[in-house]
Amino acid sequence: MLERAEDAPAGIDAVKATGTVSKHDYEPVVEPLIDAARKEGRRIKLLYEIGPDFRSFTPGAGWEDLKVLGAMRLFEGCALVTDVGWIRESTRMMSFLMPCPVRVYGNEERAEALHWLASLPEGPGISHRARPRLRAPQRRRAAPPVDPSARPGVARPTRSPATHAPARRHRPHIRRPAVR
């Protein structure tokens, strides 16, 4: 079962998973949270708690999780609080695919998770992958010069871009006299 945790500070949305989480748990909890963020034009800082009384996810819940990934661009950050080993490790392995920073905390570290979410800067364009570029961006090449003797309105390159040799003109409609 999924439920909203009301004890989270303002600006942080908290969801708690207990027992068996099914597809029907996402509809009243997660979907309204995402819809509200879209309507308000705000980004989501999510605290996702999976407590010791959690049992499992149903396949339908896994499918709903994948659908939530489509809205991940709305997320400013996500903190997962759990002591369930397989969930901790799979989240760590997949966190690099997320467009927002993701951190994993133990059940005793909930206060630290809330503090980390509150410390995230707000606003679009903030990324956890802010690294310097390894190579300089390539400049665009200028358009090849146009042959003025070509038909009006049709631009033809004077040199072949691959070999830098003069471009051949092929005009099948012009007959050339036979050479003897």
Side-chain angles (χ1 to χ4, degrees), residues 71-89:
M72 284 303 287
R73 298 225 181 266
L74 291 174
F75 284 69
E76 192 77 44
C78 183
L80 176 69
V81 178
T82 186
D83 284 334
V84 180
W86 69 271
I87 295 175
R88 291 174 64 93
E89 294 309 314

Side-chain angles (χ1 to χ4, degrees), residues 10-13 33-34 36-46 71-78 98-101 117 120-128:
I12 296 175
D13 298 300
L33 186 142
I34 292 172
R38 276 192 183 124
K39 288 178 185 172
E40 296 169 11
R42 67 178 176 90
R43 298 181 46 99
I44 300 170
K45 295 180 181 182
L46 180 67
M72 284 303 287
R73 298 225 181 266
L74 291 174
F75 284 69
E76 192 77 44
C78 183
M98 302 300 172
C100 68
L117 284 170
L120 289 174
E122 292 186 20
I126 304 299
S127 174
H128 66 296

Side-chain angles (χ1 to χ4, degrees), residues 133-151:
R133 291 185 82 150
L134 297 178
R135 60 184 175 144
Q138 295 182 359
R139 295 183 354 201
R140 291 186 177 181
R141 292 184 181 176
V146 177
D147 183 6
S149 66
R151 291 186 302 172

Side-chain angles (χ1 to χ4, degrees), residues 98-169:
M98 302 300 172
C100 68
V102 177
R103 289 203 181 167
V104 180
Y105 295 90
N107 285 336
E108 310 83 37
E109 301 171 318
R110 183 179 191 271
E112 291 176 38
L114 287 169
H115 176 72
W116 175 73
L117 284 170
S119 71
L120 289 174
E122 292 186 20
I126 304 299
S127 174
H128 66 296
R129 293 188 183 96
R131 287 187 238 153
R133 291 185 82 150
L134 297 178
R135 60 184 175 144
Q138 295 182 359
R139 295 183 354 201
R140 291 186 177 181
R141 292 184 181 176
V146 177
D147 183 6
S149 66
R151 291 186 302 172
V154 178
R156 297 186 192 275
T158 58
R159 301 208 173 265
S160 170
T163 62
H164 298 288
R168 291 184 178 177
R169 289 196 193 108

